[in-house]
Amino acid sequence: MARVLLDLNFPPSLHGELCEAVGLELEEAETGPFSMPLSAARRQRDRRMREMVLTAYEYQCAFCGYDGRIGAVPVGLEAAHVRWWAFDGPDDVENGLCLCSLHHKLFDKGVLGLGEGPAGGHRILVSQSFVGHSTAAREGVLVLAGRPLIGPQPGVRPIATAHRSWHTSQVFHGTPRPAASA
């Protein structure tokens, strides 16, 4: 039941942290006659979304440009839903961002968001609620305030306004910081 509640209400990037916070260890999903009606009623994810989103953003984080690989395999890059899948966010590129692991977690926690940018593009929002004094926090998060989003590549539709608006109203925390000075 806990797995169902997590799936229905939170993005997968937050499941482990939520379970740890309440001292819950999830068991492997059971199979049997009682699991069929529940799983049949749930939406199925499109397994192609990750590849479609990473390709659309040319295998680089849309916030910082990170593009790490081991050989030909990207590492530390994830397809993030702007409008969470658990809240009817579709598995399509107009609802996805290629983000590094750090920025995906911060995006899902509401530290980072998306705002209107110049010429109809998007810019990165950083919450004023976020506190970080280290060099890593300054260089990895605070410096992003007001920067334009990297991608998607030409010919790919940008994030749909409805999904961006949902994230801003439901996930992003508070007021955005002013653009970082260069």
Side-chain angles (χ1 to χ4, degrees), residues 42-58:
R42 293 171 48 191
R43 291 190 311 153
Q44 294 296 313
R45 297 190 126 178
D46 185 343
R47 297 185 196 284
R48 299 170 300 161
M49 183 189 174
R50 180 179 186 275
E51 188 62 30
M52 291 185 308
V53 170
L54 269 59
T55 299
Y57 286 85
E58 300 181 286

Side-chain angles (χ1 to χ4, degrees), residues 90-157:
D91 279 340
D92 62 40
V93 175
E94 291 179 27
N95 186 40
L97 283 172
C98 177
L99 296 176
C100 66
S101 301
L102 172 65
H103 293 138
H104 186 180
K105 177 71 112 183
L106 296 176
F107 187 69
D108 283 351
K109 289 289 229 171
V111 171
L112 299 174
L114 299 171
E116 283 294 322
H122 295 100
R123 65 183 176 89
I124 303 166
L125 304 179
V126 177
S127 174
Q128 284 188 339
S129 300
F130 175 77
V131 176
H133 301 289
S134 68
T135 301
R138 283 192 311 275
E139 293 177 0
V141 181
L142 298 174
V143 72
L144 298 175
R147 276 193 187 171
L149 198 65
I150 300 169
Q153 62 178 288
V156 175
R157 294 183 62 150

Side-chain angles (χ1 to χ4, degrees), residues 16-39:
E17 186 176 335
L18 291 168
C19 288
E20 187 177 310
V22 297
L24 180 65
E25 287 187 36
L26 293 179
E27 296 175 5
E28 290 300 314
E30 294 182 20
T31 58
F34 297 110
S35 64
M36 290 304 290
L38 183 57
S39 62

